[in-house]
Amino acid sequence: MELKDKKILVVGLAKTGVAVTRFLAERGALVTVTDMRDDEALQDVLAELSDLDLCLELGRHVPYSFLMADLIVVSPGVPMDIKPLEMARAQKRRVVSEVELASWFIEAPMVAITGTNGKTTTTTLTGEIFKGCGFDTFVGGNIGNPLIELAMSGERVERVVVELSSFQLEGIESFRPHVAVLLNLTEDHLDRYHSFQEYIDAKLRILENQGPDDFAVLNIDDPLVAACASKLKARLFPMSRFHELEEGISYRDGFITFAHDGKVLRFGTEGFRLKGVHNLDNIMASMASTLLMRCDGDCAYGTVKNFKGLPHRMEFVEEVNGVAYYEDSKGTNVGSVVKSLESFDSGITLIAGGKDKGGSYEPLAQLVSQRVSHLVLIGEARERMHQALGDLTDTHFADTLEQAVETARKLTQPGGVVLFSPACSSFDMFKNYEERAERFKAAVRAAKEEAKA
């Protein structure tokens, strides 16, 4: 699309919106920016854009600007069902997400990764494998740098790896990855979506523009993911921890097997630094994506073996008096916590709670009953979590995260595990999940120092 002199409205001035605004303005578009926050709240952002000729509509959305735009680019944090956008679509205005816009200016083959859980680990590892195997690679999207930054840089890369949220996928038109990865589907963001099905439909859009020359890497152990296999236009490449596959990637008895067009590669998993059963899914998805796109097997395997994982995802913190403490602050939904609990057989003290996201806690019930010895609940969601899970195990309330760690320290016997995996967002008590993680780690280290005294 030719951008010069086009009237383009950018909705939302977070990191992605800032990058989109600069990209469009530098290509000669007539850019209007709108955000519900006012000048004072956006002063740092506006300073970044002060060299550009922009029309600013802050503290409000002006319907006229939505109705007169040639193109509207929506930031991920802005719901697609706000009234001005609904009005614009009714008047046949073109409304897209940032990743859709960026894709118009990117030619390199792309791996796109989505799912409720595991996206960031899979995206990061996929990028590391490509780089380790000698491909110039951009990694971004919902992780780190917006995809539009690659388009803006003009850099010539050989591979693109992009993590996609449901929010980003809502606004695609022609976005088409060569390899699309769908890891899993569990309830999430029901504070934004009207139903679980609406959330699923947004995720499945990653597959809709693919063709027979593309690949869809689907985790067929997840019944909701497996159900969409019959509707694919791309070539199915299944992955499974539970079934041996003649075509696809699977795990059995300590080995990952990649089988494609008669070629079979086997990789032992002993010695992997990335631990947890859920990470086998992430590893298989990364290996499938990169091997399908011409990475050497030995090279890919070497990268996987040395990959340590990411902060705040089942990260070991300390051992205190024979008890191991794990920080999983990125476990912001129930499906993620299910995977984390599956990593330990028993003796778990689970610290959970935070800002409720509207989903059911029922998927945790069996694991809590069988593996969790003590449950310590914090935050706004603690009463609702107590109603769903409190009768299944020994349950306690704490007013602060520090108090929760102290309660867990007193309850957990040597040989046990204290797992902080909230199943909720952080915004009731903390700025973000990173701050929450650091507070947990600090509390654990304080407990260790106290134990030494």
Side-chain angles (χ1 to χ4, degrees):
M1 178 182 179
E2 175 57 48
L3 299 177
K4 186 173 174 57
D5 296 328
K6 290 289 192 301
K7 291 182 288 184
I8 303 180
L9 178 67
V10 178
V11 186
L13 261 183
K15 181 177 181 180
T16 297
V18 169
V20 167
T21 299
R22 181 165 293 280
F23 174 79
L24 294 170
E26 290 180 352
R27 277 152 186 77
L30 306 176
V31 182
T32 298
V33 177
T34 182
D35 195 296
M36 291 301 293
R37 293 171 293 174
D38 60 19
D39 302 53
E40 184 177 352
L42 291 166
Q43 58 182 345
D44 292 341
V45 170
L46 298 176
E48 290 183 53
L49 300 173
S50 60
D51 59 316
L52 302 178
D53 183 14
L54 305 172
C55 177
L56 300 174
E57 295 176 354
L58 306 178
R60 69 199 193 285
H61 291 320
V62 180
Y64 178 84
S65 299
F66 285 77
L67 297 175
M68 297 305 295
D70 297 313
L71 177 69
I72 301 171
V73 185
V74 184
S75 296
V78 178
M80 281 287 187
D81 62 355
I82 62 172
K83 189 173 180 180
L85 288 174
E86 290 183 337
M87 291 170 52
R89 282 191 292 268
Q91 295 300 313
K92 307 301 183 185
R93 299 295 93 187
R94 195 175 185 186
V95 179
V96 301
S97 62
E98 168 262 341
V99 294
E100 172 67 24
L101 173 68
S103 71
W104 302 342
F105 302 91
I106 295 172
E107 297 179 359
M110 184 182 298
V111 177
I113 296 160
T114 198
T116 307
N117 299 304
K119 297 185 296 297
T120 302
T121 296
T122 303
T123 300
T124 304
L125 178 55
T126 301
E128 290 299 305
I129 293 172
F130 277 133
K131 293 172 185 176
C133 293
F135 292 97
D136 291 331
T137 304
F138 175 88
V139 180
N142 196 47
I143 168 180
N145 301 320
L147 190 58
I148 198 70
E149 291 189 0
L150 174 60
M152 185 160 41
S153 72
E155 182 183 357
R156 304 284 293 185
V157 297
E158 298 169 293
R159 297 288 184 270
V160 174
V161 186
V162 58
E163 175 187 321
L164 295 177
S165 69
S166 57
F167 305 160
Q168 291 167 309
L169 287 164
E170 288 173 29
I172 66 167
E173 292 180 347
S174 59
F175 179 86
R176 177 183 175 179
H178 180 52
V179 175
V181 177
L182 183 54
L183 293 167
N184 43 62
L185 291 167
T186 60
E187 284 189 341
D188 199 10
H189 299 302
L190 297 188
D191 49 350
R192 168 151 165 170
Y193 291 101
H194 298 116
S195 68
F196 184 28
Q197 187 59 52
E198 187 176 287
Y199 168 73
I200 292 172
D201 291 343
K203 288 289 192 185
L204 295 183
R205 297 202 67 194
I206 195 172
L207 307 167
E208 70 181 32
N209 296 313
Q210 289 190 293
D213 295 330
D214 302 317
F215 291 95
V217 177
L218 303 186
N219 178 6
I220 61 169
D221 295 337
D222 184 316
L224 292 174
V225 175
C228 71
S230 62
K231 305 171 188 174
L232 293 175
K233 292 174 280 186
R235 183 172 175 179
L236 172 64
F237 196 81
M239 55 177 270
S240 176
R241 277 191 285 122
F242 304 136
H243 307 283
E244 286 189 272
L245 303 173
E246 292 185 7
E247 173 78 11
I249 191 163
S250 53
Y251 170 81
R252 183 169 182 178
D253 298 334
F255 284 88
I256 291 172
T257 301
F258 172 89
H260 177 53
D261 287 349
K263 178 181 180 180
V264 177
L265 302 173
R266 298 187 79 219
F267 308 97
T269 61
E270 186 176 355
F272 279 5
R273 301 177 74 178
L274 193 60
K275 302 297 184 183
V277 293
H278 58 294
N279 278 319
L280 281 173
D281 292 340
N282 302 333
I283 290 168
M284 287 194 294
S286 295
M287 294 190 78
S289 302
T290 51
L291 294 172
L292 288 169
M293 291 179 66
R294 296 194 293 110
C295 279
D296 173 76
D298 290 340
C299 175
Y301 183 48
T303 302
V304 170
K305 285 197 295 186
N306 290 316
F307 185 70
K308 294 189 294 185
L310 300 173
H312 317 315
R313 293 158 181 85
M314 285 295 289
E315 183 179 356
F316 174 73
V317 181
E318 297 279 359
E319 183 174 303
V320 183
N321 290 339
V323 174
Y325 288 73
Y326 286 86
E327 179 264 299
D328 189 38
S329 184
K330 195 65 167 64
T332 58
N333 58 66
V334 170
S336 178
V337 181
V338 166
K339 299 289 188 183
S340 298
L341 290 174
E342 287 176 344
S343 299
F344 306 100
D345 293 331
S346 62
I348 303 169
T349 297
L350 174 63
I351 300 174
K355 183 174 173 57
D356 190 80
K357 298 173 81 173
S360 170
Y361 295 108
E362 183 59 30
L364 291 171
Q366 185 175 359
L367 285 164
V368 168
S369 178
Q370 294 176 348
R371 305 190 187 197
V372 175
S373 301
H374 310 284
L375 179 62
V376 184
L377 298 174
I378 63 173
E380 289 179 4
R382 65 184 188 175
E383 292 290 350
R384 186 163 170 259
M385 295 185 83
H386 183 261
Q387 291 174 10
L389 306 171
D391 292 338
L392 302 176
T393 190
D394 176 49
T395 301
H396 302 259
F397 286 155
D399 294 328
T400 66
L401 185 51
E402 289 76 10
Q403 188 182 100
V405 171
E406 178 62 16
T407 300
R409 184 181 70 83
K410 292 175 180 177
L411 292 170
T412 312
Q413 298 297 309
V417 168
V418 174
L419 171 63
F420 176 45
S421 193
C424 300
S425 70
S426 59
F427 303 122
D428 58 336
M429 299 168 69
F430 306 97
K431 182 172 65 176
N432 50 40
Y433 75 86
E434 292 97 339
E435 181 191 14
R436 178 169 67 180
E438 294 307 320
R439 287 273 293 276
F440 175 77
K441 290 179 182 178
V444 172
R445 288 166 183 150
K448 186 171 185 177
E449 289 302 312
E450 184 178 330
K452 288 180 181 177

